[in-house]
Amino acid sequence: MSQQGGRTTGREDDWWGQLYGDSTEDTGPTPATDSLDDRFASAAGTVRSGGAGAEEGVADEGDGADISGVVGSVPPPRSEPPGPGSGPGPGGRADWWASQDGPPTGSDAAGTRPPERHPAPWEPPSDIPTGPTTFLPPPLPPPLPPGFAERSPHTPAPPPPPLPALPPTPTHSPTVPVLPLPAPKDEEDYVGSGPPTYDAQPTALPLADPDDLDDLVADTVLDGARYGAFALRAVSVRGDSARYRGEPRRDSLLTARFGTGDDALILVAMATGARATPGAHRAAAEVCRWIGRAVGRSHVRLAQDMRAARRGDLKSGLHRLTDRSLGRLRAGAAEQGLAPEEYAATLRCLLLPADPACRTRVFFGVGPGGLFRLRGGVWRDIEPRVGEVAGEPVVGFGSLPAETPEGDRLTMDLGITPPPNPYGLDPDPEPPREPFRFRASVARPGDALLMCTGGLAEPLRGEPDLSAHLTARWSGPTPPGLTAFLADTQVRVKGYADDRTAAAVWERDAVRQSP
C-alpha cells in the first residue's frame, strides 16, 4: 500500500522487486549486441522521421520490452546541394543537423512542430545577432610636442645620432705603479728636546691576586661635569715608568657631588702614594675616600661658609678634616706593622659650589703638587705658601723666593750639631708632617684653573713647551671634551715618567642649570 492509502499496482511491486530483489544481477557489461554506430544510426533515423520510429518498431519502455536490438530505418541523403553546415560528420556520416537550415518539408510544412534542437557546444548561442560586425575605431595618438614636425607613416625614420668613438680596448692592462700612502699624522704626544725613553702606550699589566681582585687599579680614569658657571674635566693616568714595569697607578682620583640643586657641593680629591712602597695605591685610595666622607658629612656648613666668604672658618675646618683623614692613614700603617712613611700619601682637594651666583673656589691639601691658573693666555702658578689664607700670588709663582735680589739666601745651614740632651735619651722623633696648604679665590669668566699632582706639575714648571702647548689648547671659547682633555694631559716630556692626575675647571658666564 502506498503512503496515501491506495492499493499497490503490480508494476510498482515489480519495479521494487527488480531493484532490490535477489535475482538482480550485479552491474557489468550489457548483453546488447549493437555497437555505437548502430545506436547513432537509430537516433538519426528517429530525428529525421519525426517520431515514426515509435510506429515502425520502437517499443514502449513502459512494457518492459528490450530496445537494445531495434534499429530504425535510415532515410536516404538529400538530393539538394549541401548547405554551409553540411559535410562529413563523425565516423564518415552526413552532417544530419545541417538539414535544419533549409525550408520545412513533410510534416514540418504541415504545421507539425519539429523536435526541439539544442545547439552543439561549438555553435554560437542563438540569442547573439548575426550580421556584419562593427568595430570601434582605434584611439587617436597623442599630439606631438611642440617643435616636432609630423611625418607620414611611410616616411623613413631619421637615422640615429652616431655614437661617440670609444678608445680601443688594450689587449693587456698597463702596469700602474702603486704609490705608498702617507701614514696618518698622529697628534703630538711629546714636547721638548726629544722623545721620552718609554713607550707611549701601556706595556705590562700589574700583578693580580685572585683572592683580592678589588685591589686592582685601572690604567686610566676619566670624568667630567658641568654646573652653573663652570665645566669640570678630571683624569688620572698611569705613568710611562709604571706602564713599562707593570706597576699599579699610585695616583688616586675621586670626584663626588654632595647635595642637590644650588646647595650642591662638588669635591675633587687626588692623592699620590709613597714611592717604592708595595701598598702605595691602597694608601692613596683610602685617604681619598676618608676625606670624601668627611666633606660629604659637612657639605651643608661648607657651602654656607663659601657663600659668606668665611675664609678663616673654611681654613680651620678643612685643616681639621685633613688631619683626621691623614691620622687614620697613619693608624692603618701601625695596624699593618709598617712605618708611617711606608703607608703615606699626599692629598690635594678642590671645592666647587654648584650655585652659579657663588664663584668662590677653595683649594686645600698636604704635600707637593701644582695649582695653576690660565687667564688671558698666560699661566700663573698660584700654589699657596705655607700659612697663607688668601690673596694674590706673590713673587716666585706663589711662594717666597729662594734668595734676595742681591743673591743672599734667606736661609742657610750653619752645620752646627746640637748638644745632647742632659736629661736622658731623646724620644723617638715624630715623623715630619707636610704643612697644610689652603687657598680661597674668586674666579672670573674665561679663567681656567688647574690642580694636579707632581707628575704633571713638575714638567709644567720645567718645560716651557708644555705650558705653551696647553695654553694653545685650553684658551678657546669652549672647554675641551673628555677625550681631548685626556690627550692634552698625556703629552709627554723626556725625563718625566710619573703618574699624572689633573682636574681643570673652565669658568664661563653664569647659566643656571639643574643637575
Side-chain angles (χ1 to χ4, degrees):
M1 179 178 293
S2 64
Q3 294 180 358
Q4 288 77 12
R7 298 182 61 184
T8 61
T9 61
R11 295 182 62 183
E12 181 180 355
D13 295 340
D14 182 66
W15 172 83
W16 185 269
Q18 290 182 7
L19 184 61
Y20 293 98
D22 297 334
S23 61
T24 305
E25 297 180 0
D26 193 6
T27 59
T30 176
T33 58
D34 58 342
S35 63
L36 181 62
D37 295 340
D38 297 335
R39 293 182 179 230
F40 178 83
S42 175
T46 302
V47 173
R48 292 177 183 271
S49 61
E55 299 177 358
E56 298 178 3
V58 179
D60 187 7
E61 293 182 5
D63 298 336
D66 186 8
I67 64 173
S68 60
V70 180
V71 180
S73 60
V74 180
R78 298 176 58 179
S79 58
E80 57 268 22
S86 63
R93 292 174 172 80
D95 195 356
W96 56 272
W97 54 83
S99 62
Q100 302 298 328
D101 299 336
T105 58
S107 59
D108 297 341
T112 304
R113 184 179 179 180
E116 183 179 1
R117 175 176 178 271
H118 298 281
W122 51 83
E123 292 182 339
S126 60
D127 55 351
I128 299 178
T130 60
T133 304
T134 303
F135 296 95
L136 296 177
L140 296 177
L144 294 175
F148 287 82
E150 295 188 57
R151 61 181 181 88
S152 172
H154 303 287
T155 303
L163 297 177
L166 298 177
T169 304
T171 57
H172 63 280
S173 300
T175 303
V176 179
V178 179
L179 300 178
L181 296 177
K185 183 179 180 180
D186 297 336
E187 294 186 0
E188 187 176 9
D189 62 346
Y190 72 90
V191 293
S193 59
T197 305
Y198 300 102
D199 190 5
Q201 301 302 324
T203 304
L205 291 172
L207 183 64
D209 183 359
D211 297 328
D212 192 9
L213 295 179
D214 294 337
D215 193 48
L216 294 178
V217 182
D219 178 90
T220 303
V221 175
L222 187 64
D223 204 353
R226 185 178 65 179
Y227 288 92
F230 67 87
L232 171 67
R233 303 289 182 264
V235 65
S236 182
V237 182
R238 188 165 53 140
D240 293 344
S241 176
R243 285 177 168 179
Y244 177 77
R245 292 180 172 85
E247 298 174 352
R249 176 167 47 90
R250 294 186 297 118
D251 282 4
S252 181
L253 175 66
L254 172 68
T255 54
R257 174 177 62 91
F258 303 105
T260 58
D262 292 344
D263 297 331
L265 185 65
I266 290 85
L267 167 68
V268 181
M270 56 185 66
T272 303
R275 188 184 300 272
T277 56
H281 61 289
R282 287 191 295 268
E286 286 184 2
V287 73
C288 284
R289 286 194 299 266
W290 288 333
I291 194 63
R293 187 180 297 111
V295 171
R297 291 173 178 174
S298 305
H299 76 277
V300 176
R301 177 65 183 276
L302 289 172
Q304 293 174 356
D305 291 341
M306 293 179 69
R307 288 194 186 95
R310 303 188 186 101
R311 299 183 179 182
D313 295 342
L314 286 171
K315 180 186 177 183
S316 60
L318 294 174
H319 194 176
R320 190 164 49 249
L321 296 180
T322 303
D323 285 346
R324 188 177 304 171
S325 300
L326 294 176
R328 297 191 62 175
L329 196 63
R330 288 189 293 268
E335 293 176 358
Q336 301 178 34
L338 301 175
E341 64 273 10
E342 295 178 355
Y343 197 73
T346 62
L347 178 64
R348 306 179 73 81
C349 302
L350 194 62
L351 291 179
L352 308 170
D355 187 0
C358 181
R359 288 189 175 272
T360 303
R361 310 294 181 243
V362 173
F363 160 79
F364 66 97
V366 171
L371 184 66
F372 306 90
R373 183 179 62 200
L374 178 62
R375 176 180 293 176
V378 179
W379 282 104
R380 298 196 68 179
D381 189 342
I382 58 174
E383 178 78 8
R385 62 175 183 175
V386 177
E388 184 184 12
V389 175
E392 292 295 328
V394 296
V395 180
F397 297 97
S399 60
L400 290 175
E403 57 186 18
T404 64
E406 291 78 12
D408 298 332
R409 298 188 61 85
L410 297 178
T411 60
M412 64 179 59
D413 185 8
L414 300 178
I416 300 175
T417 304
N421 189 352
Y423 301 102
L425 298 177
D426 292 335
D428 293 338
E430 195 177 40
R433 297 185 181 180
E434 290 285 346
F436 178 75
R437 300 177 185 269
F438 176 87
R439 184 178 184 87
S441 60
V442 178
R444 300 178 185 176
D447 287 353
L449 182 65
L450 174 63
M451 180 182 69
C452 55
T453 58
L456 182 60
E458 292 177 4
L460 191 59
R461 292 188 179 106
E463 181 56 58
D465 290 344
L466 180 59
S467 61
H469 175 77
L470 296 182
T471 301
R473 295 284 297 174
W474 294 355
S475 296
T478 58
L482 291 179
T483 55
F485 181 72
L486 173 62
D488 294 339
T489 55
Q490 281 189 304
V491 174
R492 302 177 301 151
V493 180
K494 186 176 179 62
Y496 302 93
D498 287 342
D499 299 346
R500 291 185 179 183
T501 302
V505 180
W506 278 266
E507 304 291 342
R508 56 178 186 164
D509 294 334
V511 177
R512 186 173 297 274
Q513 174 182 345
S514 299

